[in-house]
């Protein structure tokens, strides 16, 4: 079957980066290596892009000009591209990659002269990108059954980098070989992002494991985070668990807790479990202790901030 003729222009945009990368690969392989100009909008004005399109040279009829990061273009660059699009150079293909939402008129002009390819992560509640739904769809494509809570846990561990998420999904799917994947498998197999030590610290606090909490704190310090930042994150988390504890005492269910506090269901369930490990008085004391830690780190104590942090972690974990 003959390959479909290429459009003179493609606008490729969206939040699903692996799909964007695949679309770019499929376009690039249609051209010889020397017939591709890889440009970046930050350092290439619109006039230079048009000049490249017009300079077909030895590759007449089969030249690709690929421009990434188009959201960095200024008004003059946009105007130059908009002037080019109604009468594109025969045989040249222009591919524009990036967020075109602030480039007024570009998407419409590209649709009129060529094609707009939009690849997005699904949008969930409150008009936010639902990375867990995206992960679940990737698992389904790999023939693996994983519920939404499992997908949420993978996003918590890995972050919202769709390339990293796709890599983890492919690895876990290969291991699962069509079987159901649960949260325990995700936690055992996924390679966490740099944020995972933050989760490890609050998880160890919630489990009342002072040794694990201190070890997680040390990993965060080795990453370069200052004591006051670590303390602030921990204090913020303890306040959230204290609020969850209040709702649990009022016999509020996990789903309603998630709705009231703007949480996803898995974090709400986890925090409810952690809240059950503490009394209301212990959580009140932990909040006060972490406020005292903040004062100590900011000059209220002559002790080293790292030592103050370690002492406070032991205090609020063992209570």
């Amino acid at each position: 079957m003959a390959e479909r003729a290429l459009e003179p222009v493609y606008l490729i945009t969206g939040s699903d980066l692996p799909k964007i990368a695949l679309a770019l690969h499929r376009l690039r392989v249609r051209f010889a290596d020397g017939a591709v100009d890889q440009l970046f909008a930050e350092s290439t004005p619109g006039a230079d892009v048009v000049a490249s399109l017009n300079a077909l040279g030895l590759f007449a009829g089969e030249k690709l000009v690929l421009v990434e990061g188009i959201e960095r273009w200024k008004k003059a660059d946009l105007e130059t591209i908009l002037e080019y699009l109604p009468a594109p150079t025969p045989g040249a293909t222009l591919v524009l990659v990036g967020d075109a939402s602030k480039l007024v008129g570009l998407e419409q002009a590209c649709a009129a002269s060529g094609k707009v390819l939009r690849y997005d992560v699904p949008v969930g509640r409150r008009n936010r990108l639902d990375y867990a739904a995206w992960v679940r769809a990737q698992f389904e494509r790999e023939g693996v059954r994983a519920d939404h809570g499992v997908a949420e846990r993978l996003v918590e561990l890995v972050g919202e980098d769709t390339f990293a998420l796709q890599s983890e999904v492919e690895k876990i799917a290969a291991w699962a070989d069509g079987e159901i994947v649960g949260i325990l498998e995700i936690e055992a197999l996924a390679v966490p992002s740099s944020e995972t030590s933050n989760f490890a610290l609050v998880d160890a606090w919630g489990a009342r494991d002072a040794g694990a909490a201190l070890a997680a704190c040390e990993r965060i310090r080795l990453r370069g985070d200052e004591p006051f930042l670590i303390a602030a994150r921990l204090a913020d988390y303890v306040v959230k668990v204290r609020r969850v504890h209040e709702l649990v005492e009022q016999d509020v269910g996990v789903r309603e807790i998630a709705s009231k506090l703007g949480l996803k269901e898995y974090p709400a369930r986890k925090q409810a479990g952690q809240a059950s490990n503490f009394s209301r008085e212990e959580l009140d004391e932990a909040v006060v202790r972490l406020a005292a830690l903040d004062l100590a780190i900011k000059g209220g104590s002559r002790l080293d901030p790292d030592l103050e942090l370690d002492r406070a972690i032991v205090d609020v974990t063992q209570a």
Side-chain angles (χ1 to χ4, degrees):
M1 182 183 295
E3 287 187 308
R4 183 181 301 177
L6 289 170
E7 301 284 350
V9 60
Y10 293 88
L11 171 62
I12 303 179
T13 188
S15 52
D16 191 336
L17 302 183
K19 279 190 178 179
I20 290 176
L22 179 60
L24 290 175
H25 172 73
R26 288 174 174 170
L27 285 169
R28 290 181 69 105
V29 297
R30 301 280 294 271
F31 297 84
D33 289 340
V36 177
D37 274 3
Q38 174 83 48
L39 306 174
F40 298 93
E42 185 175 18
S43 56
T44 309
D48 288 357
V49 173
V50 172
S52 179
L53 289 161
N54 291 329
L56 289 177
L58 298 175
F59 301 103
E62 49 177 275
K63 182 173 184 179
L64 172 68
V65 177
L66 170 62
V67 188
E68 295 191 56
I70 58 171
E71 62 276 3
R72 296 182 178 275
W73 266 339
K74 298 178 181 178
K75 184 178 179 181
D77 303 312
L78 172 62
E79 291 174 349
T80 301
I81 298 300
L82 292 177
E83 289 175 5
Y84 168 84
L85 290 178
T89 303
T93 298
L94 171 63
V95 177
L96 303 173
V97 185
D99 181 6
S101 61
K102 295 181 180 179
L103 300 175
V104 180
L106 181 61
E107 186 168 340
Q108 295 86 340
C110 289
S113 298
K115 185 174 289 186
V116 175
L117 303 176
R118 181 177 295 279
Y119 302 106
D120 276 318
V121 171
V123 176
R125 293 182 302 172
R126 301 184 181 182
N127 205 32
R128 296 178 61 183
L129 296 181
D130 191 344
Y131 288 93
W134 183 88
V135 164
R136 194 173 181 186
Q138 308 311 305
F139 273 126
E140 289 176 357
R141 290 194 185 97
E142 297 287 342
V144 174
R145 289 172 291 174
D147 65 26
H148 199 75
V150 169
E152 284 185 341
R153 183 57 175 151
L154 185 61
V155 174
E156 281 189 346
L157 288 170
V158 177
E160 297 178 350
D161 181 333
T162 46
F163 281 119
L165 287 169
Q166 183 185 52
S167 176
E168 291 301 317
V169 166
E170 291 173 351
K171 178 186 70 180
I172 293 168
W175 175 87
D177 195 22
E179 297 295 325
I180 296 175
V181 172
I183 289 177
L184 291 178
E185 288 77 18
I186 293 294
E187 292 178 341
L189 296 170
V191 176
S193 71
S194 61
E195 288 298 309
T196 303
S197 293
N198 297 333
F199 290 120
L201 173 57
V202 297
D203 286 350
W205 166 78
R208 307 195 70 153
D209 187 337
L214 290 172
C217 181
E218 182 60 23
R219 289 195 295 273
I220 298 172
R221 276 196 288 248
L222 290 173
R223 195 174 70 200
D225 289 22
E226 295 293 334
F228 77 90
L229 285 176
I230 302 171
R233 293 191 201 110
L234 179 58
D236 180 66
Y237 191 82
V238 170
V239 168
K240 289 177 181 176
V241 173
R242 179 175 175 271
R243 177 60 178 144
V244 169
H245 191 284
E246 292 175 355
L247 294 173
V248 170
E249 284 186 326
Q250 298 167 21
D251 292 325
V252 178
V254 169
R255 289 188 177 179
E256 190 176 349
I257 289 174
S259 177
K260 283 179 175 291
L261 301 183
L263 299 170
K264 294 180 180 178
E265 188 171 336
Y266 177 77
R269 186 181 301 113
K270 183 174 74 172
Q271 290 179 24
Q274 293 169 332
S276 69
N277 290 331
F278 295 86
S279 69
R280 173 66 181 273
E281 291 73 20
E282 286 175 325
L283 290 173
D284 289 345
E285 290 170 3
V287 171
V288 173
R289 178 67 179 89
L290 291 170
L293 170 63
D294 181 70
L295 175 62
I297 289 176
K298 293 178 178 177
S301 170
R302 294 181 180 181
L303 294 179
D304 181 80
D306 286 316
L307 178 58
E308 287 283 4
L309 176 60
D310 288 343
R311 292 175 62 180
I313 285 175
V314 171
D315 288 344
V316 300
T317 304
Q318 296 182 339

